[in-house]
Amino acid sequence: MTGTLPGLATRVVERVQVPVRDGLELHGMLYRAATGDARPVLLVRTPYAEPMSRSLPVLPALDAGFAVLVQDCRGTGRSDGELRTFENETTDGLDTLRWLRDQPWCDGRIAMFGMSYLGMVQLAVAGHRPEGLAAIAPAVTPDDYRDGLVYRQGAFQLGQGLAWHLLKAAEAIGEAADRGEDVAARMAGLLALTRDTEAAYRALPLPDRPGITGVLPSWRTWLDKENDPAYWRDIGYAARRAEATVPGLHVGGWFDLFLRGTLGNYVTMAAAGAAPQHLVVGPWSHADTSGITGEVFYRGGSAQAVRLEQQQLRFLRDSVDGTPSSLPPVQIYVMGDDHWRAEQEWPLARTDWQDWYLAADFSLGPALAGTGTAEYRHDPNDPVPTVGGAILLAGSRDGRLGYQPGSRDQRELDGRRDILRFTSAPLAADLEITGPLRVRLFAATSATDTDFTAKLVDVHPDGRAMGIADGIVRARYCTGMDTPLPVVPGEVCEYAIDLGATSQVLRAGHCLRVDIASSNFPCFDRNPGNGTPAGQVTEADFVPATQRIFFGPGRPSSIRLPVIPRD
């Protein structure tokens, strides 16, 4: 199919089929100049249905002098094969790049663009140094599929996993219906899940999701492969990022669930030094760059305000032309001060790393207090509800804000006895924390496995308690997912909980608070307490646990804060 773009007689759109190494063909829509002259190509590889592609900047890219190929990933849209999430993206991407270089309308220079899955497919090929790839612009991407996308420090990311599979199952069923297939049974199963997402989150065992498992194999595969590091290494790009020699513009959000990965990708590729890397982080969630995130409006914080799309296209065009980018290495939005700031690196070289200590009297501060303990009872039958943060969940718990990501008022959780709160004195002066956040927790549990969560909170003088960042660690994976360890009841262990990162100014008179608990549901699955893998848990496995936190010189539970000196 070839046609003319409406109102643009000098440009045409045509369907193309790209052959890949196993004999299948991947469908794409090509937008190019009607003259057919050779130009650099902007490649977008997407697993999402056509309506989601309408937001891609095709016309601006054409105006910037690119031809644009929007390609359906294997098993999606009009492309052949079956979507086996992530498993074929490296070879399919490399084959597509090789095919592009041979086309008369491609001058041999190729850039890639897109967010989330569309960004992951860029990183999947970049480390292989394919000929012709001149620039990438991945946004909101994880650094590792296992510990970063599917799991986080060992805890299964139930919320985002279910939300994504519901979306993709709906698209796949719609595409099957368009092909004339009988989808009644598949649709009935999907509707049963979407009618009551709360029940869908709670239902056990987790692999039993008829509306998904009969449509997308990755839901069951991700759970089955929890303890199969070879599988994740084979499909992932984590180990090859440092080998990339292509300039990159990485985009993230302070409330994106893949923030750690975006920062990690930037840091790893910038440290390799093979090509310039740039970073932009705004007050955004995974799918929302409006500057209104959670319960907070960030003035001037939208992608439009910072002209993000124009920055991306200018960077890609400069890179394919071999022109050094005029962008600063790092651009961050400083929340609380509500402005964009250019930096030279990440983390910031001028950071004053400060340890603030948790104490038995539930205080928090830079002085190490005396020895003591505090305890709470955790019951997986009654988990702490998810309230804001770096989340991507389907449904709505309360019919209003529900599972909206971002900074949310934590007073919704007041009255729970399974959260310990450690609060500083009111700040004497404004405090900026910009950089990675990590909690060091000395703790013991009565169970043979458990989770520990930590949340950083900004407590306003009027009582509002606004979440900044949070994290979780599964006890048996405290040294990494490749080395699960037995948990001995009553034994004191040191846990490092990665809270991601932030750039936040807390005003004088505010208090800083750290909340410790053992669940964050349904963002993460419920740890039953007996070491059973996530995909095999039933409610019969649930074991309430007594959790004890330790403080003092020998066991200094603390949070490391990246404090930025105020000018």
Side-chain angles (χ1 to χ4, degrees), residues 318-461:
D318 286 347
S319 296
V320 299
D321 289 341
T323 302
S325 175
S326 60
L327 297 176
V330 175
Q331 300 171 72
I332 57 174
Y333 185 89
V334 184
M335 300 177 292
D337 266 0
D338 290 352
H339 71 274
W340 289 92
R341 192 169 72 201
E343 298 287 354
Q344 293 303 305
E345 71 285 307
W346 182 268
L348 309 189
R350 65 184 183 279
T351 303
D352 175 18
W353 298 99
Q354 297 183 11
D355 291 323
W356 284 38
Y357 297 95
L358 286 59
D361 63 358
F362 300 104
S363 63
L364 174 70
L368 184 58
T371 300
T373 65
E375 69 177 42
Y376 60 96
R377 185 177 185 272
H378 163 63
D379 185 353
N381 288 288
D382 181 25
V384 176
T386 298
V387 178
I391 60 175
L392 181 65
L393 277 68
S396 174
R397 186 181 65 254
D398 57 16
R400 300 186 302 278
L401 286 175
Y403 294 130
Q404 183 176 354
S407 185
R408 296 275 309 279
D409 193 339
Q410 301 301 303
R411 288 182 295 182
E412 181 176 334
L413 302 177
D414 285 358
R416 292 193 66 100
R417 301 174 65 85
D418 53 358
I419 305 173
L420 302 183
R421 296 184 169 108
F422 302 86
T423 308
S424 75
L427 299 172
D430 292 354
L431 176 72
E432 179 183 334
I433 48 175
T434 293
L437 298 162
R438 185 174 294 267
V439 164
R440 185 185 186 195
L441 196 68
F442 290 84
T445 178
S446 64
T448 53
D449 191 31
T450 194
D451 293 344
F452 289 104
T453 70
K455 184 178 295 183
L456 185 63
V457 180
D458 175 9
V459 183
H460 293 234

Side-chain angles (χ1 to χ4, degrees), residues 58 128 195 466 545:
V58 172
H128 292 265
R195 282 194 203 99
M466 307 303 293

Side-chain angles (χ1 to χ4, degrees), residues 127-421:
H128 292 265
R129 303 183 180 182
E131 181 183 348
L133 183 60
I136 59 174
V140 293
T141 52
D143 54 353
D144 186 84
Y145 290 147
R146 186 190 192 195
D147 189 9
L149 186 151
V150 178
Y151 298 86
R152 180 168 176 180
Q153 289 196 257
F156 180 60
Q157 298 207 80
L158 171 64
Q160 72 90 10
L162 184 63
W164 188 82
H165 280 86
L166 287 172
L167 167 66
K168 282 304 303 166
E171 289 185 347
I173 292 170
E175 291 168 355
D178 289 342
R179 295 191 297 267
E181 298 179 20
D182 182 357
V183 298
R186 282 172 280 179
M187 181 60 72
L190 181 65
L191 290 176
L193 292 175
T194 56
R195 282 194 203 99
D196 190 348
T197 52
E198 284 296 296
Y201 287 130
R202 286 188 169 272
L204 295 172
L206 288 174
D208 186 16
R209 297 292 185 278
I212 293 174
T213 51
V215 181
L216 288 175
S218 52
W219 173 259
R220 185 178 295 276
T221 299
W222 289 359
L223 289 161
D224 288 346
K225 299 294 186 180
E226 175 181 338
N227 293 306
D228 186 354
Y231 169 80
W232 301 102
R233 284 196 299 268
D234 288 346
I235 69 169
Y237 49 72
R240 299 193 69 108
R241 291 170 300 158
E243 300 178 35
T245 57
V246 61
L249 173 56
H250 306 261
V251 177
W254 295 127
F255 301 103
D256 172 42
L257 73 160
F258 299 147
L259 174 62
R260 294 187 311 157
T262 299
L263 297 173
N265 291 331
Y266 166 75
V267 168
T268 298
M269 295 174 69
Q277 304 296 313
H278 299 265
L279 175 68
V280 179
V281 187
W284 307 322
S285 64
H286 189 70
D288 187 347
T289 59
S290 67
I292 303 173
T293 314
E295 299 172 50
V296 182
F297 167 62
Y298 298 97
R299 186 177 63 252
S302 69
Q304 290 79 7
V306 76
R307 296 175 61 84
L308 177 63
E309 184 180 286
Q310 291 90 335
Q311 286 196 50
Q312 291 168 308
L313 290 175
R314 186 172 72 248
F315 166 80
L316 293 173
R317 183 69 223 206
D318 286 347
S319 296
V320 299
D321 289 341
T323 302
S325 175
S326 60
L327 297 176
V330 175
Q331 300 171 72
I332 57 174
Y333 185 89
V334 184
M335 300 177 292
D337 266 0
D338 290 352
H339 71 274
W340 289 92
R341 192 169 72 201
E343 298 287 354
Q344 293 303 305
E345 71 285 307
W346 182 268
L348 309 189
R350 65 184 183 279
T351 303
D352 175 18
W353 298 99
Q354 297 183 11
D355 291 323
W356 284 38
Y357 297 95
L358 286 59
D361 63 358
F362 300 104
S363 63
L364 174 70
L368 184 58
T371 300
T373 65
E375 69 177 42
Y376 60 96
R377 185 177 185 272
H378 163 63
D379 185 353
N381 288 288
D382 181 25
V384 176
T386 298
V387 178
I391 60 175
L392 181 65
L393 277 68
S396 174
R397 186 181 65 254
D398 57 16
R400 300 186 302 278
L401 286 175
Y403 294 130
Q404 183 176 354
S407 185
R408 296 275 309 279
D409 193 339
Q410 301 301 303
R411 288 182 295 182
E412 181 176 334
L413 302 177
D414 285 358
R416 292 193 66 100
R417 301 174 65 85
D418 53 358
I419 305 173
L420 302 183
R421 296 184 169 108

Side-chain angles (χ1 to χ4, degrees), residues 19-98:
V20 293
R21 64 191 66 184
D22 59 0
L24 302 182
E25 291 188 330
L26 305 183
H27 170 269
M29 296 299 294
L30 173 66
Y31 307 82
R32 61 173 179 81
T35 57
D37 56 315
R39 298 188 178 191
V41 174
L42 182 64
L43 171 62
V44 180
R45 303 193 62 247
T46 175
Y48 299 116
E50 185 270 339
M52 294 188 71
S53 299
R54 296 174 189 171
S55 61
L56 294 171
V58 172
L59 292 180
L62 291 169
D63 288 339
F66 288 99
V68 180
L69 176 61
V70 181
Q71 183 187 66
D72 298 331
C73 290
R74 177 186 295 245
T76 67
R78 295 173 180 262
S79 288
D80 294 343
E82 177 188 22
L83 174 63
R84 300 190 66 87
T85 312
F86 309 134
E87 294 182 13
N88 297 290
E89 302 308 347
T90 298
T91 54
D92 285 352
L94 293 173
D95 289 350
T96 299
L97 291 169
R98 187 178 301 111

